[in-house]
Amino acid sequence: MWQAGMARNITFIVTKDCQLACKYCYLVGKNSKERMTFEVAKQAIDFILNREQEYRQESVIWDFIGGEPFLEIDLIDKICDYLKVEMYRRNHHWFNSYRFSFSTNGINYHTEKVQRYIEKNKNHLSIGITIDGTKRKHDLNRIWKTQKMEEGIVPLPKEEKGSYDDVVKNIPLWLKQFPEASTKVTISSADIPYIVESVLHLYSLGIKEVNINCVFEEVWNEGDDALFESQLIKLADAIIDGELYKEYSCSFFMEHIGKPLDRERDNQNWCGAGLMLAIDAKGNFYPCMRFAAYSLRNKPAWIIGNIHDGIDQNKLRPFLMLDRTTQSKPECIDCEVASGCAWCQGENYDAADTHTVYQRATAICKMHKARVRANNYYWNKLFRKLELEGKQEEYEKQKAKMKEPKC
């Protein structure tokens, strides 16, 4: 949460290609044809930097996403050079308050070009490598593309092949360069049984912060919530009994979740859709990359402008009015464990009955309630343990450091 989460977020969709075909991936339209050019990126940068009075946030995160962004490292390097020169030349207020941000599958992390880029920009970089846990869990979903998916483009395995071995070999280098880096773990129905072993495995690799969440799509089966709760309680026991909480964290356990809403304090939108800006290979603007066509199963892309014509405020306006109340059913607002129940604005739109962003998708409802029950178990057990040991201050310290990550 660099700059307390208050920085402007601008996303370049540099490619829609990826080496992997993760089974839970929301990017349903990945392909090897749509790649950003430097000219499009340059026009987008000029559009933004020319409007300094409209982008008054003190800091900015220039986010690079795919597909797999490091497939376009040459382009990204050129974009970043242009950004640095232009921010300096214009004496822009973002010049010394910016980050280049990446979420990568980690496969190309060790390559010479990527490492040269990291060395060049290290003081302004945030890089997260996605590793899902143990080899068993990771390889269940995070698989290489097969020849059947993309015949004749690149040499690809004929049968399903997991990517764990290709990623884990780069974790030591990543942690050496970014010791405080965190990873992002995704949970779907099929891999619930492997949550405990996976979080503990990631700790053993030296990853101290594990951000983990359930997919927002409607993939859940009968009984998943009970199995999920069971896994989280076992994980709570392992973390507390092993005193792992002293060095490590897991975003499933947040002290403040699972309470009734404070109607005034808790009415903000969950994510920054509309306050962010995403740009695709054609130079189209989106309120978030989840509104680009390759992120949507059922709805058309929600384009709010482009590098030539600017932003259409009428197309952006619905996002500026979003809060919890405007898109939630009364039972969600009145729910006794509503705090911490997340949503994705893009999934809200894609799953809605009509062309609207004001209909909240609730596929993870039962999973959230299961998480709350396990979360209560975690904090009650930790409190009892530290109270018996006379370490109430340590309990308060643990509560303070656990903050809910948001997209």
Side-chain angles (χ1 to χ4, degrees):
M1 298 296 289
W2 182 66
Q3 300 293 65
M6 298 303 292
R8 183 79 184 204
N9 189 291
I10 298 170
T11 300
F12 294 94
I13 306 173
V14 292
T15 180
K16 294 183 180 178
D17 195 12
C18 185
Q19 308 99 316
L20 305 183
C22 301
K23 296 176 185 176
Y24 51 56
C25 186
Y26 57 82
L27 299 176
V28 294
K30 288 187 291 188
N31 65 81
S32 59
K33 299 175 183 178
E34 295 181 74
R35 300 166 59 244
M36 183 174 283
T37 65
F38 176 68
E39 185 57 33
V40 167
K42 179 177 179 296
Q43 289 183 62
I45 292 166
D46 289 344
F47 173 86
I48 293 162
L49 296 184
N50 283 340
R51 290 160 176 77
E52 187 171 2
Q53 293 303 315
E54 298 175 29
Y55 295 86
R56 294 307 305 161
Q57 291 88 349
E58 291 184 9
S59 308
V60 63
I61 297 172
W62 302 103
D63 188 30
F64 297 92
I65 199 165
E68 168 50 42
F70 282 149
L71 289 175
E72 294 294 331
I73 188 60
D74 289 334
L75 170 64
I76 289 170
D77 190 26
K78 194 172 181 180
I79 291 173
C80 292
D81 282 351
Y82 184 75
L83 276 167
K84 288 180 288 186
V85 168
E86 282 299 298
M87 288 189 293
Y88 174 78
R89 186 181 69 81
R90 298 163 183 260
N91 193 28
H92 198 284
H93 70 280
W94 285 342
F95 169 63
N96 204 32
S97 190
Y98 67 90
R99 276 284 186 274
F100 298 139
S101 176
F102 298 83
S103 180
T104 171
N105 60 33
I107 291 172
N108 290 352
Y109 188 84
H110 67 289
T111 60
E112 181 180 347
K113 287 183 178 181
V114 172
Q115 286 301 304
R116 188 163 59 241
Y117 171 85
I118 290 172
E119 181 62 29
K120 183 176 176 179
N121 296 282
K122 187 173 181 182
N123 292 333
H124 289 277
L125 275 183
S126 298
I127 300 179
I129 291 181
T130 300
I131 180 168
D132 252 4
T134 57
K135 180 177 175 64
R136 174 164 60 174
K137 181 187 178 323
H138 184 100
D139 286 351
L140 184 66
N141 282 310
R142 300 188 67 79
I143 60 173
W144 284 83
K145 285 189 300 188
T146 65
Q147 288 179 328
K148 189 179 295 185
M149 296 174 187
E150 193 164 335
E151 192 69 41
I153 304 299
V154 290
L156 298 169
K158 293 181 180 179
E159 303 299 331
E160 187 174 294
K161 178 180 181 293
S163 61
Y164 175 87
D165 293 336
D166 305 286
V167 177
V168 75
K169 67 182 182 182
N170 289 325
I171 297 301
L173 173 60
W174 172 55
L175 291 177
K176 181 180 179 182
Q177 293 170 327
F178 302 98
E180 302 304 315
S182 62
T183 193
K184 176 76 180 299
V185 178
T186 301
I187 304 298
S188 60
S189 180
D191 51 30
I192 294 173
Y194 313 122
I195 292 175
V196 177
E197 66 179 52
S198 291
V199 173
L200 297 180
H201 177 65
L202 294 173
Y203 289 167
S204 75
L205 294 178
I207 300 171
K208 294 187 176 181
E209 182 179 344
V210 176
N211 291 317
I212 185 168
N213 68 275
C214 297
V215 299
F216 291 102
E217 289 78 15
E218 183 67 81
V219 301
W220 306 105
N221 299 314
E222 188 70 29
D224 279 351
D225 53 335
L227 181 57
F228 183 52
E229 181 180 351
S230 173
Q231 279 286 298
L232 292 193
I233 287 175
K234 290 176 183 176
L235 179 60
D237 287 338
I239 291 173
I240 295 172
D241 295 344
E243 298 191 337
L244 297 174
Y245 57 85
K246 293 181 177 180
E247 291 189 56
Y248 304 94
S249 65
C250 174
S251 63
F252 271 148
F253 302 121
M254 298 288 171
E255 192 276 337
H256 66 278
I257 74 164
K259 298 177 175 63
L261 294 176
D262 181 317
R263 296 298 181 92
E264 295 183 5
R265 187 188 64 190
D266 294 331
N267 196 40
Q268 70 272 20
N269 196 24
W270 184 263
C271 77
L275 304 176
M276 302 182 286
L277 183 68
I279 308 114
D280 72 3
K282 296 178 180 178
N284 290 320
F285 292 151
Y286 302 90
C288 163
M289 54 83 61
R290 285 295 302 259
F291 288 84
Y294 82 138
S295 298
L296 300 167
R297 305 177 307 277
N298 306 310
K299 298 291 197 307
W302 193 311
I303 299 172
I304 59 171
N306 58 65
I307 56 176
H308 305 294
D309 304 319
I311 293 175
D312 184 334
Q313 294 298 325
N314 285 328
K315 294 179 179 178
L316 178 62
R317 188 167 289 111
F319 295 89
L320 304 182
M321 300 299 292
L322 282 168
D323 57 28
R324 185 185 295 266
T325 302
T326 57
Q327 59 191 302
S328 301
K329 295 178 180 179
E331 52 262 41
C332 292
I333 299 297
D334 298 332
C335 178
E336 289 298 308
V337 294
S339 64
C341 186
W343 62 85
C344 167
Q345 207 66 54
E347 176 59 17
N348 286 0
Y349 168 61
D350 206 20
D353 298 328
T354 62
H355 190 91
T356 181
V357 289
Y358 289 97
Q359 182 177 328
R360 181 173 163 188
T362 57
I364 65 165
C365 176
K366 65 179 182 180
M367 305 304 287
H368 170 70
K369 291 176 179 177
R371 176 195 175 193
V372 167
R373 293 190 293 269
N375 186 67
N376 291 340
Y377 174 88
Y378 174 93
W379 289 102
N380 287 334
K381 178 168 182 172
L382 182 61
F383 177 78
R384 289 196 303 270
K385 171 182 168 61
L386 295 178
E387 184 183 40
L388 288 172
E389 296 173 359
K391 298 178 180 177
Q392 287 90 339
E393 288 185 8
E394 176 65 22
Y395 177 75
E396 295 300 324
K397 188 186 300 183
Q398 289 298 319
K399 289 199 300 182
K401 81 175 185 179
M402 302 300 271
K403 296 179 180 179
E404 183 79 5
K406 294 187 178 184
C407 72

